[in-house]
Amino acid sequence: MAAATTLHHRRRSILQLALLLLAASPAAMLATGGACESEEFPAGRSYATCADLPTLGASLHWTYDAAASSLSLAFAAKPPGAIGAGWVAWGVNPTGDGMKGAQTLLAFKSSGAYVVNTYNLTGYRPLSAASTPITFEATELAADEGAHGKVRLYGTLQLPKGMEAVNHIWQVGSTVANGVPAKHAFAQENLEAKGSLVLTGAGATEAAPAPVFISHDYLD
Ligand SMILES: *[C@@H]1O[C@H](CO)[C@@H](O)[C@H](O)[C@H]1NC(C)=O
């Protein structure tokens, strides 16, 4: 399930560790030297927790303010193909565990600068060049390029009160054509790019159950 996932906490108390040990499956326990911890963000961007996601070499970094139910996040992944030509996306699915219904942030380079669009993924159809409205208020959207061709997508989502575990999806694509992110590859690691995430960090990300219609489960 979560064998490839590790969680890293900046500040770790004995209590938190004990809770984590209780909550996590044996395969998802803290590991040292996780890749996500070495991600270097620009000044002013820091996150309480990071997780190496199980596929696509992606990582999620976040701070969840439970009182405000506000999620500040950075998603980092390397799109396949030429640097600057592809896209990265991360989203929360409040109604299911796959792509359909996901409320997604997607970053790509447009006229030399990174932009972040929002997409309400309503079905298996091509994306538009423009954002579509999503359920959650999304602010502070930005993206930049990290080391080794990684694209980092930043944003803050206003989640419903008490939504402390979410189903999330992530994805990368090699191409943006005429301002429209083109569909991603259909390799196993693309199709398995989804899971559940405990925002409070007490526990690890877990892979979601396999989708029923896996051959249609793409983001295009
Ligand atoms: C997203 O799409 C679904 C399906 O068309 C729709 O019911 C929902 O209202 C949309 N959400 C937003 C925020 O527009």
Side-chain angles (χ1 to χ4, degrees), residues 4 13 21 31 36 48-50 61 67 77 91 109 117-118 123 141-142 155 166 170 172 179 188 195-196 203 210 212:
S13 70
L21 292 175
C36 71
T49 308
C50 75
H61 310 251
K109 213 172 201 177
N117 281 357
T118 61
L141 299 179
V166 297
W170 60 96
V172 295
Q188 197 69 10
S196 66
V212 178

Side-chain angles (χ1 to χ4, degrees), residues 120 122 133-135:
N120 175 11
T122 57
I134 61 171
T135 304

Side-chain angles (χ1 to χ4, degrees), residues 19-147:
L19 288 172
L20 189 70
L21 292 175
L22 281 174
S25 65
M29 297 218 176
L30 288 169
T32 52
C36 71
E37 284 191 327
S38 64
E39 191 70 43
E40 287 183 20
F41 292 110
R45 294 197 187 277
S46 68
Y47 303 90
T49 308
C50 75
D52 292 306
L53 301 180
T55 72
L56 299 171
S59 63
L60 188 70
H61 310 251
W62 75 96
T63 302
Y64 179 64
D65 179 341
S69 56
S70 165
L71 176 67
S72 166
L73 69 100
F75 170 76
K78 182 187 180 307
I83 287 180
W87 55 265
V88 305
W90 179 86
V92 168
N93 192 335
T95 55
D97 65 15
M99 184 199 113
K100 190 174 180 181
Q103 308 296 299
T104 306
L105 308 176
L106 188 151
F108 60 96
K109 213 172 201 177
S110 172
S111 307
Y114 277 96
V115 296
V116 178
N117 281 357
T118 61
Y119 291 107
N120 175 11
L121 301 180
T122 57
Y124 307 110
R125 54 178 77 120
L127 294 177
S128 50
S131 289
T132 59
I134 61 171
T135 304
F136 312 120
E137 187 191 352
T139 55
E140 299 173 82
L141 299 179
D144 66 11
E145 236 161 59

